[in-house]
Amino acid sequence: MMTDTLTETPTLVQPKAPLLRWRVITDHAVLIVGALFMLMPLVLVFTTASLPDAEIVKHGLQLRIGDQLDDNFTKAMFETSGFTDANSGLVMLKNSMILGVGFAVGKIVLGMMAAYALVYFRLRFALFAFWVIFTTLLLPLEVRILPSYEVIQGLGLMNTYTGLIVPLIASATATFFFRQFFRSVPEELVEAARIDGAGPLKFFIDILVPLSRTMIAAMFIIMFVYGWNQYLWPTMITTDEGMFTLVRGIKQITQVLEGTNLPEYGRANLLAIIAVLPPVAIVVFFQSWFVKGLTDSDK
Amino acid sequence: MKRAGFANPWLPILLLVPQLTIIAVFFYWPAAHAIQSSFFLQDPFGFGSTFVGLENYADLLGNKEYLKVAGFTVVFTLLVTFLSLGLALLLAVKADNVIRGAKTYRTLLMWVYAVAPPVAGFIGILMFDQSTGPLTAFFQSLGWDFKLGVVYSDTAFAMVTVSVWKQVPVNFIFFLSGLHSIPVAVREAALIDNRSASGRFWDVTFPLLAPTGFFLLITNITYALFDTFGVIDTLVKGEPGNNPMNLVYKVYVDGFRGNDLGGSSAQSVILMVLVLALTVFQFRLVERRIHYT
């Protein structure tokens, strides 16, 4: 091996420069093709949303900008569909916001409280509580969807925000995440706080929570996107059209495309864009927090 | 627990009660209920139920349609997992190589992460539309008469494509962060030892990425099993008919639409066992991983 490289080196030096340039070009080519694969569908949906319905029906998705964007936007935001005329884009946007924010905040608050109790207190049944909580990581909501639905029905929580949000919170991802983080906080901090006479609540609110700011931001982004994008659970739990979220409304949008005389493709495309925009914006603008939160969660 | 903790007796209980209550009501109770009703046959008119033991399970395993769905789930899961992992790894390695525009590529490649599965399915419907879809037109120019929602394998192709498209960004982010965490010294040593880039990749980079890869393997299997529900439901437009579907979709169709509570619960329990096995497997891998990192 050693002798090999030694004897080969002089002959290899010459063609190295063009080889390198060739490699850079292929790298970029692969990345550009990849980026186009990821982006083109969304770009097409966006440009097509600016065209009149009649044209979309005839030619489908197109890569050119028309003059119907504001018209389609007004339709998507304020026009209603369905049987009860209660699901305008605006109402669905509000519901999606409540689900996304409510889920993220609920998950973070409960997770931090439980993680604090598990890490910083001498508890007799700590190990038991730990296992009870972390078993929930094993089974996603999808496998126990029907019995969960029955519980919600029994409690009379159909078509309520509580019924929409709380069952989704019944999993330990945030608790696990904050437990890992709290364990990495230096012990000296608690000792110092105790010497200064700070009680457990004061330590939590004045020291631990401010210390977790970045973690909270990262968790919030991931959980907001996760909550906003929920589909199966909202589909089962909301039958009242005034409670539909944007993502849940998608199904109805696609069904409206069938059957009617002139399917409202422009409106449907714009609703899809409105459903995608808030989570995408958060992920793109807070990229570094988001990436940190995501990749830290597997440790 | 920290060595220097607090000894307050009631505060930790108060802190744990909200989480434990929610978990008890919305996790343990439904899960127990699913296991219980999988042993009963529900009267279709709502007049109670009779204990049938393992009959629901036996019915499932003897049911041709269920086995077909299970078979499709296996193929679908494998295809989605390996295609999205492979594509993401390729893109991550290239994005790690380039100097100019690295950040732009990163942003462009990751934002589909935030697209909800049913929205991805909706975009799929437009892309694969029978008369106007741009991809359908492209396939037709190649001589492939693509028919979404009509031909079983064509619909399956669309499902796999859309699911992969949706999953590439997460894998890309993890692989890129894995590549960044390889120490510069190791890279430079590899550069001196091994002149060919592909040789360096397979001998040095790939083994160092293996822990990330194992973790992603399980994540992707879980994704293909559960989170693709929205993609499938939108692509078949809520009408399963003769279209392909996966096991989770069948739980939903049989239990929610078909009112076969016992059969659907038995299906849920089978899925629970499957996920438990996967998770145990994952924990064992994580343990091993601690040893060599």
Side-chain angles (χ1 to χ4, degrees), chain B residues 5-233:
Chain B
F6 295 101
N8 196 318
W10 53 268
L11 187 64
I13 297 172
L14 218 64
L15 288 169
L16 280 168
V17 160
Q19 171 124 55
L20 289 176
T21 314
I22 288 181
I23 286 176
V25 176
F26 296 108
F27 183 87
Y28 284 101
W29 171 249
H33 194 66
I35 295 170
Q36 189 212 14
S37 48
S38 73
F39 297 114
F40 285 85
L41 190 67
Q42 202 85 12
D43 185 281
F45 303 103
F47 299 117
S49 49
T50 33
F51 181 78
V52 292
L54 291 172
E55 207 174 286
N56 286 324
Y57 293 95
D59 281 353
L60 277 180
L61 297 177
N63 184 332
K64 252 194 186 141
E65 203 200 318
Y66 183 74
L67 294 178
K68 189 183 171 189
V69 172
F72 175 75
T73 307
V74 172
V75 175
F76 174 77
T77 305
L78 287 177
L79 280 174
V80 170
T81 301
F82 285 105
L83 287 175
S84 55
L85 279 176
L87 260 176
L89 181 59
L90 174 74
L91 291 170
V93 169
K94 300 296 177 198
D96 188 47
N97 276 351
V98 298
I99 298 155
R100 205 170 300 170
K103 233 184 147 182
T104 314
Y105 286 127
R106 204 180 73 164
T107 310
L108 291 179
L109 288 169
M110 82 168 51
W111 69 326
V112 170
Y113 169 86
V115 175
V119 180
F122 168 73
I123 296 174
I125 286 186
L126 297 176
M127 297 293 289
F128 290 107
D129 188 275
Q130 253 194 63
S131 47
T132 59
L135 284 174
T136 313
F138 173 67
F139 293 145
Q140 269 162 356
S141 74
L142 297 177
W144 177 11
D145 194 14
F146 188 91
K147 284 201 171 90
L148 177 72
V150 179
V151 181
Y152 185 89
S153 58
D154 290 358
T155 314
F157 178 87
M159 282 176 185
V160 171
T161 311
V162 175
S163 305
V164 169
W165 180 73
K166 166 83 192 86
Q167 186 64 2
V168 164
V170 193
N171 296 340
F172 172 77
I173 293 166
F174 273 99
F175 276 133
L176 195 61
S177 127
L179 286 167
H180 283 326
S181 67
I182 295 176
V184 183
V186 174
R187 289 167 182 249
E188 280 170 358
L191 208 60
I192 295 166
D193 270 0
N194 203 334
R195 287 204 161 268
S196 101
S198 68
R200 274 202 307 276
F201 175 77
W202 292 112
D203 292 343
V204 181
T205 316
F206 193 74
L208 283 172
L209 278 181
T212 312
F214 280 134
F215 166 77
L216 285 178
L217 194 65
I218 306 286
T219 319
N220 278 267
I221 292 174
T222 320
Y223 161 80
L225 283 175
F226 300 108
D227 298 335
T228 49
F229 179 89
V231 174
I232 294 174
D233 193 38

Side-chain angles (χ1 to χ4, degrees), chain B residues 232-248:
Chain B
I232 294 174
D233 193 38
T234 330
L235 276 177
V236 303
K237 296 179 182 165
E239 300 296 332
N242 287 323
N243 287 315
M245 60 172 135
N246 70 358
L247 286 169
V248 169

Side-chain angles (χ1 to χ4, degrees), chain A residues 1 27-28 37-39 119-121 132 138 143-144 146 151 175 182 185 194 231 251 258 280 287, chain B residues 1-2 5-6 19 26 28-29 94 97 105-107 111 114 165 193 226 233 237 264 268 275 279:
Chain A
M1 181 73 194
D27 282 354
H28 280 281
F37 171 69
M38 297 313 290
L39 284 187
V119 175
Y120 283 94
F121 289 88
V132 166
L138 306 183
V143 305
R144 51 195 160 85
L146 277 166
V151 168
T175 316
F182 289 164
V185 171
R194 280 174 66 183
Y231 178 64
K251 189 172 185 171
E258 319 262 292
V280 166
Q287 215 176 95
Chain B
M1 208 206 79
K2 299 260 180 194
F6 295 101
Q19 171 124 55
F26 296 108
Y28 284 101
W29 171 249
K94 300 296 177 198
N97 276 351
Y105 286 127
R106 204 180 73 164
T107 310
W111 69 326
W165 180 73
D193 270 0
F226 300 108
D233 193 38
K237 296 179 182 165
S264 170
S268 290
V275 183
T279 317

Side-chain angles (χ1 to χ4, degrees), chain A residues 237-253:
Chain A
I237 229 64
T238 58
T239 47
D240 173 357
E241 287 170 344
M243 286 296 293
F244 281 14
T245 62
L246 282 165
V247 173
R248 193 247 183 267
I250 283 288
K251 189 172 185 171
Q252 212 182 17
I253 299 169

